[in-house]
């Protein structure tokens, strides 16, 4: 069962965690403490790139990139997952898929949008449940988005992961009316996008229900 310690810790709140950029921290009975932090240093960025299986392209991420790191604090801060997203972008609909924009987000400006591109959670001995870790990273993404004026997000998950999120009450919804893949076949990520789907979420709605999703997943 997920046991908050002493609840979800927000960056910017009066807490010792502020200096570390911690967005989320919680205990799992019998497994220790998990935290999700903003990857803000060159070493953090390198760790994310290693988890994603890519090469370090720059010392620091660009202003539109967001990298988050999940760590097992009870195992010396061992990296156990990461998230990669962009802020104020609309590349999914312009470069990858053609679909009808959901009515819930049509009036939201591009500067108030985020796109989630990758969740990487390697299978490691002693690591927590992978669904729980994905929720931790997703929740931290929403917290950071809220703090930076982001109102909605799009993502390209595998259908199986989207089903698991929705199964524990996470309000990430597939775009209505289907979609058509426009990404070129010769591009290196083509197979991933061919077998993925497009979904969207509203940041405020996500933050309202994510605590319940944690309890549902961790019970």
């Amino acid at each position: 069962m997920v046991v908050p310690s002493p609840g979800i810790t927000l960056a910017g709140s009066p807490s010792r965690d502020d200096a570390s950029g911690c967005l989320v921290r919680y205990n799992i009975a019998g497994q220790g403490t998990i935290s999700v932090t903003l990857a803000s240093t060159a070493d953090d960025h390198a760790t994310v790139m290693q988890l994603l299986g890519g090469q370090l392209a720059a010392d620091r991420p660009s202003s539109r990139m967001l990298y988050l790191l999940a760590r097992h604090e009870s195992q010396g801060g061992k990296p156990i997952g990461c998230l990669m997203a962009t802020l104020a972008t609309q590349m999914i609909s312009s470069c990858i898929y053609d679909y009808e924009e959901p009515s819930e987000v049509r009036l939201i400006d591009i500067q108030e949008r985020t796109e989630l591109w990758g969740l990487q959670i390697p299978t490691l001995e002693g690591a927590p449940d992978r669904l729980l870790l994905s929720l931790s990273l997703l929740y931290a993404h929403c917290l950071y988005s809220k703090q930076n004026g982001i109102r909605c997000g799009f993502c390209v998950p595998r259908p199986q992961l989207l089903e698991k999120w929705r199964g524990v009450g996470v309000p990430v919804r597939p775009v209505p009316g289907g979609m058509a893949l426009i990404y070129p076949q010769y591009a290196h990520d083509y197979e991933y996008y061919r077998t993925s789907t497009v979904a969207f979420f509203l940041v405020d709605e996500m933050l309202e229900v994510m605590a319940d999703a944690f309890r549902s997943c961790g019970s």
Side-chain angles (χ1 to χ4, degrees):
M1 180 170 181
V2 179
V3 183
S5 62
I8 300 300
T9 301
L10 305 182
S13 62
S15 164
R16 294 177 301 174
D17 301 324
D18 295 349
S20 68
C22 184
L23 289 159
V24 174
R25 171 176 282 123
Y26 58 93
N27 286 335
I28 303 176
Q31 295 190 55
T33 301
I34 307 300
S35 65
V36 180
T37 60
L38 179 66
S40 57
T41 68
D43 286 345
D44 289 342
H45 189 206
T47 299
V48 169
M49 292 300 103
Q50 184 177 23
L51 286 169
L52 291 172
Q55 299 295 318
L56 183 62
D59 288 341
R60 295 178 183 273
S62 72
S63 60
R64 290 183 183 267
M65 295 298 302
L66 172 65
Y67 296 114
L68 301 176
L69 269 174
R71 298 182 183 274
H72 203 311
E73 294 191 356
S74 303
Q75 295 183 8
K78 180 180 179 180
I80 53 176
C82 67
L83 176 148
M84 178 176 66
T86 51
L87 305 174
T89 61
Q90 199 167 337
M91 294 184 285
I92 294 174
S93 61
S94 62
C95 303
I96 302 174
Y97 298 99
D98 181 31
Y99 55 87
E100 179 182 356
E101 181 146 285
S103 59
E104 295 93 330
V105 303
R106 285 177 189 162
L107 299 180
I108 298 179
D109 188 78
I110 188 174
Q111 299 300 320
E112 301 173 302
R113 298 180 179 217
T114 181
E115 292 180 305
L116 168 56
W117 295 102
L119 279 168
Q120 186 63 37
I121 302 172
T123 302
L124 299 171
E125 184 178 353
D129 178 81
R130 289 163 60 86
L131 176 58
L132 182 58
L133 281 177
S134 75
L135 291 177
S136 307
L137 289 160
L138 187 59
Y139 189 27
H141 182 198
C142 289
L143 288 171
Y144 185 86
S145 295
K146 177 70 173 179
Q147 294 164 7
N148 287 274
I150 300 296
R151 297 171 57 197
C152 74
F154 284 81
C155 56
V156 285
R158 298 287 197 192
Q160 300 92 325
L161 178 58
L162 179 59
E163 183 178 350
K164 288 180 180 179
W165 282 345
R166 292 174 61 79
V168 293
V170 177
V172 180
R173 301 186 285 275
V175 294
M179 61 192 190
L181 182 65
I182 59 175
Y183 198 65
Q185 293 187 28
Y186 57 79
H188 74 283
D189 287 331
Y190 175 79
E191 283 301 315
Y192 176 83
Y193 294 126
R194 186 183 66 82
T195 56
S196 295
T197 190
V198 182
F200 73 101
F201 56 88
L202 301 174
V203 170
D204 284 345
E205 185 181 32
M206 292 282 281
L207 293 177
E208 287 178 3
V209 304
M210 284 295 284
D212 288 336
F214 267 90
R215 285 191 285 270
S216 176
C217 178
S219 60

